[in-house]
Amino acid sequence: MKVILLVLVWVVTNLGDAVKINKLRVPDIIKHGSQAILDCDFTLDDSETDLVVKWYFNKSLVYQWIPGTKNRPQSLGVLKDRVNLEYQASPDANSKHRAIHIVRTGPDLSGDYTCSVSTMESEDRQTKGMLVLVSEKYFELKRLKADEGFIRVQCRADGIYPAPLISLHSQQREIPEAAVESRKLNHLYEISAQVTMPELERPEEFSCKLHIPQANYTTRRETVFYPGLASATSNNYWLTISMSLVSCIMGLHYLGVH
Ligand SMILES: *[C@@H]1O[C@H](CO)[C@@H](O)[C@H](O)[C@H]1NC(C)=O
Ligand SMILES: *[C@@H]1O[C@H](CO)[C@@H](O)[C@H](O)[C@H]1NC(C)=O
């Protein structure tokens, strides 16, 4: 009789959702440098024992909390030393540390996050992706040396994540397809597009566009190039140098150095 009752209890508890994740909140996209809260809202039956909350990043364990022990949650792997372990998502003793508060985000944290909530009797898990967007550090459109009668335009960007699409346009004409090169350095992309075409006959405005479809991110640079000039950028460069020289001389004058 006792055995039958135990079996019955076992069947009943296993039919219901003993542990259930109600909502997994992981931001789709965050900007590099901002903080993120990844929350795993779950409910469980009172009868459940030995609750363990775990988070995985791309299938590796990165966070673990065992509410039954007095131990603090732990962050591991890529999340080691990047999480505020004091963060409380709920006053409930079983849910207090269910969320991860990432204080130091970076492009390397882009990927799939899985929350797993398990007890002696059951388990539930859910996965969601997060993208950490890094805006370009450098982005320039310039004219390079080319053979007589030609113009070579280059657009270059670096320090961006994820890999952007790059395109070159002219306001005045259709331009040939650009040669695109891209490489990854420390989780960040460096990309360039280059095109060679017949020399300008009149001033011509070029633009370069970077686009990251996953993040709906677009940014542009526009520059007017003039016929005959080797490079518009080098003009700016000399202007900057002469301006610095002027301010330096004025500074010395102000300090009484002659
Ligand atoms: C994590 O997974 C995503 C998606 O599969 C992948 O793009 C990313 O490079 C992975 N990140 C790491 C650090 O393994
Ligand atoms: C992308 O950005 C544009 C302009 O900022 C906006 O109008 C559009 O709704 C966005 N699309 C998505 C899918 O977020």
Side-chain angles (χ1 to χ4, degrees), residues 167-225:
S167 55
L168 270 171
H169 307 272
S170 157
Q171 297 285 66
Q172 279 82 19
R173 57 174 151 170
E174 281 287 315
I175 64 174
E177 196 174 328
V180 174
E181 272 177 41
S182 149
R183 62 180 184 141
K184 199 175 179 185
L185 271 175
N186 300 321
H187 298 286
L188 298 173
Y189 285 91
E190 191 182 290
I191 192 164
S192 75
Q194 212 180 98
V195 69
T196 305
M197 62 203 136
E199 177 60 291
L200 312 170
E201 279 160 15
R202 60 188 74 85
E204 187 167 334
E205 183 175 337
F206 286 87
S207 73
C208 179
K209 184 170 98 171
L210 292 178
H211 181 57
I212 300 173
Q214 309 93 296
N216 197 21
Y217 176 83
T218 304
T219 178
R220 283 190 180 74
R221 278 285 176 284
E222 276 120 25
T223 307
V224 178
F225 293 122

Side-chain angles (χ1 to χ4, degrees), residues 122-164:
S122 64
E123 190 200 357
D124 196 8
R125 54 168 64 207
Q126 276 187 29
T127 301
K128 204 167 169 289
M130 179 173 89
L131 175 69
V132 182
L133 173 74
V134 188
S135 319
E136 69 287 350
K137 204 173 294 148
Y138 167 93
F139 185 17
E140 197 177 53
L141 181 56
K142 64 181 180 187
R143 189 170 171 177
L144 302 179
K145 263 194 158 46
D147 291 340
E148 186 75 32
F150 288 91
I151 172 175
R152 191 138 64 113
V153 175
Q154 186 200 50
C155 176
R156 204 165 76 75
D158 68 29
I160 187 166
Y161 186 89

Side-chain angles (χ1 to χ4, degrees), residues 222-241:
E222 276 120 25
T223 307
V224 178
F225 293 122
Y226 296 87
L229 284 179
S231 163
T233 356
S234 65
N235 282 346
N236 288 341
Y237 177 70
W238 286 111
L239 190 66
T240 312
I241 289 195

Side-chain angles (χ1 to χ4, degrees), residues 57-58 108 110-112 161 184 187:
F57 167 68
N58 282 6
D108 58 323
S110 299
D112 294 326
Y161 186 89
K184 199 175 179 185
H187 298 286

